[in-house]
Every structure is written in structure tokens, then in C-alpha cells.
Amino acid sequence: MDTDSRSIEERLAAIEKKVDDTYRSSEKMRKYFLWTLIVTLVLVVLPLFILPFVIPVFLQSVIPPGL
């Protein structure tokens, strides 16, 4: 009976290690996706909001007034 309980404890320890490894891996992926979202917002979405304000200023500097 003692060997059975020891075997079960070893299996539980192995399962616990696998669960911990999986948790660490999923946390790394979560952080990766978070930073991917932040970079996407900064590089794609933010310029789309700024562009309508920049285009008129650019056009006024390129095209002289009165045309």
C-alpha cells in the first residue's frame, strides 16, 4: 500500500509541475498578445486618428492660398 501512495504522490507531483509550466507559458503568451495589441494601436490606429488633422496643415503648406 505504501508503494501505491508513493506512486500516486509522484504522479501528482509530475502533474502539478506540468500545470505550473502550462500556467507560466500561458502568462507569457498573454503578455505577448497584450504588447502586440499595444504596438498595433500605436502604429496603426493612432495615425489614423491623427491623419485628418495633419493633412490640412500639409496641404496649406504645399498649395499656396488663393488657388
Side-chain angles (χ1 to χ4, degrees):
M1 200 66 160
D2 187 36
T3 58
D4 288 339
S5 67
R6 194 174 313 146
S7 173
I8 291 173
E9 287 177 11
E10 289 172 359
R11 284 183 174 178
L12 284 176
I15 290 172
E16 185 176 353
K17 182 184 179 310
K18 288 179 183 180
V19 168
D20 289 341
D21 291 343
T22 303
Y23 175 76
R24 265 188 250 112
S25 176
S26 66
E27 280 299 306
K28 286 181 184 177
M29 289 302 295
R30 184 186 66 80
K31 289 178 184 177
Y32 172 77
F33 285 133
L34 174 68
W35 281 106
T36 302
L37 175 68
I38 291 170
V39 169
T40 300
L41 288 175
V42 168
L43 294 179
V44 175
V45 176
L46 191 61
L48 288 176
F49 283 116
I50 294 174
L51 206 58
F53 300 106
V54 173
I55 289 177
V57 173
F58 175 72
L59 289 177
Q60 284 178 355
S61 68
V62 172
I63 300 173
L67 281 182

